[in-house]
Amino acid sequence: MRPAVLSSVAMSLAAIVAGCGGSSTPTANGKARSQSIDPNAPEVVAPGDIPDTQVFVTYTAAGYSFKVPEGWSQSVDGATTTFTDHYNTVVASSSSTGAAPTISGVRATEVPMLRHTVSSFQLRNVGSVTRTGGPAVVVSYRSGSTPDPVTGKRVALDVERYEFWRNGTQVTLTLSGARGSDNVDPWKTITNSLTWPA
């Protein structure tokens, strides 16, 4: 064979061998360690910002009301109402409780509950804010969505859980969106719109 042909064959064989070998990363002792992707990890998708032009409408439940994006799908399960649009979700629920939530109480009881019940839970912060409807304890965390019924894939989410209280009633608003979405303003619109009956 001519040198040019031999060189071409050698390069092709090298490419095939490299393609079959998989990826690896050298470790401190010089041995190769194969890199693998966790097939159960939530998939990071393109952020789904709520548009600045989004129209909000008032949703009224037993004992409270707040604004939600117009046109989102709605489902009700007992005292819990869920609004969804693609990877954006607002979940509202109410319960009777004798005292207002506190940061220390939420850290001690609800964070462990979330850690055991929420897929891929990663706590970011527990703090407090003041909205028109009063003060609220806020739990910020990351999670994975529920599996897609067709593909089984889960999406990485940013989540904020607001806990409001008045006269023995706690209202929890949980807002989530694809990780990296810029929903600061619409989420504030939603949580700032909570009102209680006169």
Side-chain angles (χ1 to χ4, degrees):
M1 299 177 85
R2 285 179 289 180
V5 174
L6 286 173
S7 176
S8 175
V9 171
M11 290 177 60
S12 297
L13 287 174
I16 292 170
V17 170
C20 293
S23 62
S24 63
T25 302
T27 59
N29 62 13
K31 293 182 180 179
R33 178 184 65 210
S34 34
Q35 295 177 330
S36 59
I37 297 174
D38 182 359
N40 298 315
E43 180 182 10
V44 177
V45 300
D49 298 352
I50 299 173
D52 293 338
T53 56
Q54 176 67 57
V55 175
F56 292 84
V57 294
T58 300
Y59 170 77
T60 301
Y64 67 98
S65 63
F66 68 102
K67 291 182 178 180
V68 295
E70 185 178 42
W72 285 22
S73 299
Q74 176 184 338
S75 62
V76 179
D77 182 9
T80 301
T81 304
T82 302
F83 300 89
T84 57
D85 180 66
H86 300 291
Y87 298 119
N88 291 304
T89 303
V90 176
V91 180
S93 62
S94 63
S95 60
S96 297
T97 181
T102 62
I103 292 176
S104 59
V106 168
R107 281 188 178 276
T109 60
E110 297 193 32
V111 169
M113 178 271 294
L114 291 169
R115 197 179 302 279
H116 284 92
T117 58
V118 173
S119 173
S120 303
F121 178 83
Q122 297 176 21
L123 179 65
R124 301 184 71 189
N125 187 51
V126 180
S128 63
V129 295
T130 299
R131 296 287 190 258
T132 301
V137 175
V138 184
V139 184
S140 301
Y141 59 94
R142 288 178 166 174
S143 74
S145 68
T146 56
D148 183 278
V150 178
T151 65
K153 291 184 177 181
R154 294 180 296 121
V155 173
L157 303 174
D158 287 325
V159 187
E160 289 185 356
R161 173 186 169 103
Y162 293 75
E163 299 185 5
F164 296 88
W165 183 91
R166 182 179 180 186
N167 298 334
T169 298
Q170 177 172 308
V171 173
T172 302
L173 299 179
T174 304
L175 303 94
S176 61
R179 188 168 300 173
S181 299
D182 181 11
N183 287 327
V184 173
D185 290 338
W187 284 8
K188 187 171 183 179
T189 296
I190 294 168
T191 58
N192 207 36
S193 68
L194 178 74
T195 57
W196 307 90

